[in-house]
Amino acid sequence: MSTPRVPHLGIVWLTLILSTGCTLPATSPAATSPARTTAHPRVLVVDTDMAADDWLAILYVLQRPDVTLAAITVTGAGEAHCTPGIRHALGLMTLAGNARVPVACGRESPLRGEHVFPGGWRDRVDSLLGLTLPDGQEAVSSQTAVELLATTIQASPDKVTVLTLGPLTNVAEALQADPSLVDQIDAIYVMGGAVNVPGNVGASGVGIDNPVAEWNIYVDPYAANGVLQSGIPITLVPLDATNHVPLTRKFYDNLKTNHASPEATFVYDVLTEQRAFIDSGGYSFWDPLAAAIVTDDSLATFRTEPICVVETEGPESGWTKAGPGCPEARVAISADGERFEQVFVETLNSPSP
């Protein structure tokens, strides 16, 4: 479903973006988030475009006893359209034995611009790669994604962590509609961007001349800037880090002999349908790494970077570009791929919390 366009989120965004042509400033380590335990789990909202690697990330989160998933909001501006995106989210939760988490979808267009994921990609995601999930046991929320974000965050007795696994359309619109949410969000973890490595938009073979942008940010750069400018602590998990965790045939073969739970079995089935992509060498654990970092910061190394997003149309649109005058973000610059794979598989195969 689409909603009316909202007013500009602040002329300061554009001013900051136009000033990003200078050299990279010195960086320093950022403080990590406090550790969580099963006795006091982190309250988490996942905002997702329900692409295939999002399914893996959501199942990981659902299996973590140190996380309480409070809501899933789907952005229809990403890979999945609203109806199948909601259906698949409900199915994943039923598969994991957790059918009480509310799900809602947002607008099916960016806050600004006309960038979209390729139609063929969207068709594959909407069809669940030809796989099946159990029917969701709960009705879809009557709220929009923006409304569900606001009510979930406001109702939580603890500050909420937000994990974004797609374009930042829903989160930016929610912050613009209710700026007081800033005070109730502990941190936002963003899977997106390419800071000091090439992007993946131009390399995707779909005819877009853009060597620097990553897809999640490229689709709605205006929204991404809004989130970065919000004042909420941001952890960016860009291609700089996810390039260190390729999804390989070795991992697939190992999972083939180690998928003891319904969740791990579904992940194995998803990867089986994507074997050609795995063998191409172009597949990484994009969203699962971001989800794992939420639960264990030690899986990655970080440095503080001043980041703005280039909004102007052209070959740099959507670039997460470092430069003076930009808000600081904690940027994951590398990751321990071997340990991530171990944590990921162990979590998927663990008993449901």
Side-chain angles (χ1 to χ4, degrees), residues 121-139:
W121 298 8
R122 304 192 80 183
D123 291 343
R124 289 261 296 160
V125 167
D126 285 348
S127 70
L128 202 69
L129 304 181
L131 301 171
T132 58
L133 281 168
D135 291 335
Q137 298 175 3
E138 297 289 327

Side-chain angles (χ1 to χ4, degrees), residues 98-166:
N98 187 342
R100 297 183 180 180
V101 177
V103 180
C105 194
R107 56 192 295 139
E108 291 196 329
S109 60
L111 289 179
R112 179 164 293 184
E114 299 180 350
H115 293 173
V116 294
F117 280 95
W121 298 8
R122 304 192 80 183
D123 291 343
R124 289 261 296 160
V125 167
D126 285 348
S127 70
L128 202 69
L129 304 181
L131 301 171
T132 58
L133 281 168
D135 291 335
Q137 298 175 3
E138 297 289 327
V140 179
S141 172
S142 61
Q143 298 179 301
T144 66
V146 170
E147 292 167 342
L148 181 58
L149 279 167
T151 57
T152 301
I153 292 166
Q154 290 164 347
S156 175
D158 297 319
K159 284 192 173 185
V160 172
T161 298
V162 178
L163 169 64
T164 70
L165 306 175

Side-chain angles (χ1 to χ4, degrees), residues 275-347:
R275 279 175 296 180
F277 192 10
I278 294 170
D279 290 342
S280 76
Y283 200 163
S284 291
F285 281 104
W286 297 291
D287 295 325
L289 178 63
I293 287 173
V294 170
T295 63
D296 185 355
D297 271 351
S298 71
L299 290 170
T301 56
F302 305 86
R303 70 182 179 207
T304 300
E305 300 259 22
I307 301 294
C308 290
V309 181
V310 177
E311 289 185 37
T312 52
E313 196 58 56
E316 294 186 353
S317 183
W319 184 12
T320 44
K321 188 174 183 180
C326 297
E328 289 190 341
R330 186 174 65 135
V331 179
I333 58 173
S334 66
D336 186 337
E338 183 176 347
R339 194 159 67 85
F340 161 78
E341 290 183 4
Q342 179 183 356
V343 170
F344 183 64
V345 173
E346 288 178 354
T347 299

Side-chain angles (χ1 to χ4, degrees), residues 62 69-72 83 85-104 134-142 148:
L62 287 168
L69 183 59
I72 294 177
T83 298
I86 289 174
R87 181 173 65 249
H88 299 160
L90 293 172
L92 289 172
M93 287 187 292
T94 301
L95 179 74
N98 187 342
R100 297 183 180 180
V101 177
V103 180
D135 291 335
Q137 298 175 3
E138 297 289 327
V140 179
S141 172
S142 61
L148 181 58

Side-chain angles (χ1 to χ4, degrees), residues 187-266:
I188 299 178
Y189 287 73
V190 176
M191 192 284 114
V195 181
N196 296 306
V197 298
N200 59 6
V201 171
S204 299
V206 295
I208 299 175
D209 178 19
N210 187 316
V212 293
E214 178 275 331
W215 272 104
N216 284 346
I217 306 299
Y218 173 79
V219 167
D220 200 342
Y222 173 78
N225 253 340
V227 174
L228 284 167
Q229 297 286 346
S230 67
I232 298 168
I234 303 294
T235 293
L236 193 67
V237 184
L239 301 185
D240 306 54
T242 63
N243 287 348
H244 291 261
V245 286
L247 206 168
T248 63
R249 177 55 80 104
K250 179 181 177 181
F251 175 85
Y252 171 78
D253 290 341
N254 287 339
L255 186 63
K256 184 176 182 179
T257 61
N258 188 20
H259 56 96
S261 69
E263 295 85 353
T265 298
F266 181 75

